[in-house]
Amino acid sequence: MPDLSRITERDKLKARIGDEPHWQRLRQGCYVGFRPSKKGKRGTWFARVYNADTKRNSRKALGDYGKLEGHDVFKQAKADAELWADTVESGGERASDMVTVKDACEAYAKEKPCPIQDGILRRHVYSDPIAKVKLDKLRRHHLRSWRKRLEQAPALVTRNKKGAKLWKERAKSTVNRDMVPLRAALGQVLKPGAPNTDAAWQEALRPFKGADKRRELYLDKEERKRLIDAVRDDARPFVQGLCMLPLRPGALAELKARDFDKRTRTLTIGKDKNGNPRQITVPPVIADFFAAQVKDKLPATPIFARASGDVWNKDAWKYPIKEAVNGAGLPGAVSAYTLRHCVLTDLIRAGLPILTVAQLSGTSVAMIEKHYGHLVRDDAEEALASIAI
């Protein structure tokens, strides 16, 4: 059995009868093979694995690795053969119709639907050359090139069709968020490649460290009351709801009349970033507010709707909020997410356990600790100071 890792030994190999590859054992049941070219070309690599379910050997062509040279060719063929063997041995081969990166992303989007995620894939993956790259041929350099294009793509500040479109440089935190759907989709069908090799596709999608900074802008209750009073009539209930609950604006906008149960004072949040429906019980003062919003509405009607009857979205709510911010004399950076931050800050300051705050807001304990843990530490310091003798 030849040592295919040795270039000189590989170059001496001759074509075998029936074009059978020369095989090298990598581990029990797993082989990498090489078929020399009869026309003096590079030759073709193969993988072979014993399938315990069918009790037969399965074979797969890996290609000629035309862009690699020297010892990198064998390293890549070995990694691909072992990766494919792992897939077969675990009982799951990729679906035959899942060939390209776009196929993997569409399958992931179908399994875990999310409007924001779908928009990211449509803008940055499906219309990009990466979409047509075959999964079997996907390498770190493909994703590095895609990431560079993503980082250089300007971010759209406004989508106002009546005025000129404004653009800004894409922030590192935005790049981190825009890489998530592609990384998740590929992670469903590809195993991580060997570190520091071109097979390590996952290395190109590592997020920037320290890019997600916590929000510092805070409005006290009096300032939030001024904002509510200044906002136009059709947007006032929606803005007031943002000031009452630690929900993402999109989750609040998607609430339907059927999602609020007046008898039990429970609110069901069915559409949110994490995709998992959850229920929260609200106090009487908030329950009365929601009862007034759902009065005489059909179950499928949005609790908070624009004057046109349409559901609020980020391109609709930002204008009335911006107008109200200016009218109330508040900092210009105030946005819908600022209000969520304010509510979360108040809940932490009130001494609510971090786990409970995480459950109410639909985020992880780790994220709450990361962005609001300093508030807990400050309160602990004050509590310790109060008992000093």
Side-chain angles (χ1 to χ4, degrees):
M1 184 176 290
D3 184 352
L4 299 179
S5 66
R6 295 180 179 274
I7 299 174
T8 54
E9 188 170 341
R10 198 165 65 229
D11 288 343
K12 295 178 182 178
L13 296 175
K14 303 296 182 182
R16 301 174 71 177
I17 298 175
D19 285 337
E20 179 68 14
H22 295 271
W23 296 102
Q24 178 177 332
R25 184 177 184 271
L26 300 178
R27 64 171 190 255
Q28 184 176 353
C30 175
Y31 294 78
V32 64
F34 178 71
R35 177 195 290 163
S37 172
K38 296 178 181 179
K39 299 180 180 180
K41 296 183 179 180
R42 294 176 62 95
T44 305
W45 291 86
F46 293 84
R48 191 180 81 194
V49 62
Y50 178 72
N51 191 328
D53 293 332
T54 62
K55 299 187 180 338
R56 298 179 61 183
N57 284 321
S58 298
R59 180 188 297 186
K60 179 180 181 181
L62 301 176
D64 63 3
Y65 298 105
K67 293 184 178 181
L68 300 178
E69 298 293 340
H71 295 290
D72 289 338
V73 178
F74 175 78
K75 289 180 181 179
Q76 191 62 64
K78 177 178 179 293
D80 289 345
E82 290 176 330
L83 177 61
W84 183 64
D86 289 340
T87 304
V88 174
E89 291 169 353
S90 64
E93 273 196 81
R94 193 184 305 138
S96 59
D97 59 346
M98 190 180 292
V99 178
T100 65
V101 170
K102 183 178 181 181
D103 294 335
C105 291
E106 288 178 337
Y108 179 78
K110 185 177 181 180
E111 180 182 349
K112 297 183 178 181
C114 172
I116 296 177
Q117 168 186 275
D118 294 345
I120 292 173
L121 291 174
R122 185 177 63 256
R123 292 190 299 272
H124 301 300
V125 177
Y126 299 156
S127 59
D128 188 270
I130 193 72
K132 297 180 180 179
V133 177
K134 293 183 178 181
L135 293 168
D136 291 339
K137 304 294 184 181
L138 185 66
R139 300 291 179 261
R140 182 174 57 182
H141 71 270
H142 291 123
L143 291 166
R144 280 180 170 172
S145 298
W146 174 80
R147 177 172 180 155
K148 186 176 182 180
R149 291 191 292 272
L150 177 66
E151 293 174 6
Q152 294 176 343
L156 185 60
V157 178
T158 175
R159 293 182 174 84
N160 186 1
K161 296 181 180 180
K162 297 181 180 179
K165 291 185 177 181
L166 300 178
W167 305 83
K168 66 177 181 179
E169 183 179 351
R170 190 172 296 274
K172 290 183 177 179
S173 58
T174 305
V175 174
N176 283 352
R177 288 192 293 270
D178 288 348
M179 288 193 297
V180 170
L182 178 58
R183 186 168 61 238
L186 295 178
Q188 292 280 82
V189 297
L190 298 177
K191 289 192 175 182
N196 300 317
T197 69
D198 203 37
W201 61 268
Q202 73 283 358
E203 293 180 350
L205 299 180
R206 287 174 179 169
F208 288 111
K209 292 184 178 181
D212 297 315
K213 299 178 180 179
R214 66 178 180 233
R215 295 176 183 269
E216 300 291 349
L217 184 56
Y218 172 80
L219 303 180
D220 60 29
K221 291 183 179 179
E222 180 57 35
E223 290 173 320
R224 278 174 265 167
K225 182 65 168 60
R226 279 163 44 199
L227 178 67
I228 293 171
D229 291 340
V231 77
R232 70 191 196 202
D233 292 344
D234 66 327
R236 186 170 295 119
F238 179 68
V239 172
Q240 189 170 349
L242 289 174
C243 293
M244 286 184 167
L245 294 171
L247 301 183
R248 296 179 180 85
L252 188 72
E254 290 291 338
L255 291 176
K256 303 294 189 293
R258 60 170 173 261
D259 295 327
F260 176 67
D261 190 327
K262 182 179 179 180
R263 298 169 301 171
T264 59
R265 291 189 280 112
T266 56
L267 192 63
T268 301
I269 296 90
K271 194 170 185 179
D272 204 352
K273 185 177 181 180
N274 60 14
N276 298 319
R278 66 186 189 280
Q279 281 191 337
I280 59 175
T281 302
V282 298
V285 62
I286 296 181
D288 291 343
F289 167 75
F290 274 92
Q293 304 308 313
V294 302
K295 186 178 180 181
D296 298 329
K297 289 184 177 179
L298 296 174
T301 303
I303 293 180
F304 305 101
R306 295 148 63 182
S308 62
D310 296 326
V311 175
W312 287 101
N313 58 53
K314 63 179 181 179
D315 293 323
W317 69 56
K318 64 183 179 183
Y319 296 111
I321 289 179
K322 183 61 65 177
E323 293 169 359
V325 165
N326 294 333
L330 299 172
V334 171
S335 66
Y337 270 89
T338 303
L339 303 179
R340 181 173 186 257
H341 164 67
C342 295
V343 175
L344 286 169
T345 300
D346 287 350
L347 292 176
I348 294 292
R349 282 292 192 189
L352 201 63
I354 286 181
L355 174 60
T356 304
V357 175
Q359 292 171 337
L360 286 173
S361 59
T363 190
S364 67
V365 171
M367 289 301 294
I368 295 295
E369 288 181 336
K370 177 180 178 181
H371 295 286
Y372 299 93
H374 65 288
L375 299 178
V376 178
R377 291 192 291 272
D378 292 346
D379 290 345
E381 184 177 340
E382 294 176 7
L384 289 172
S386 68
I387 62 173
I389 299 176

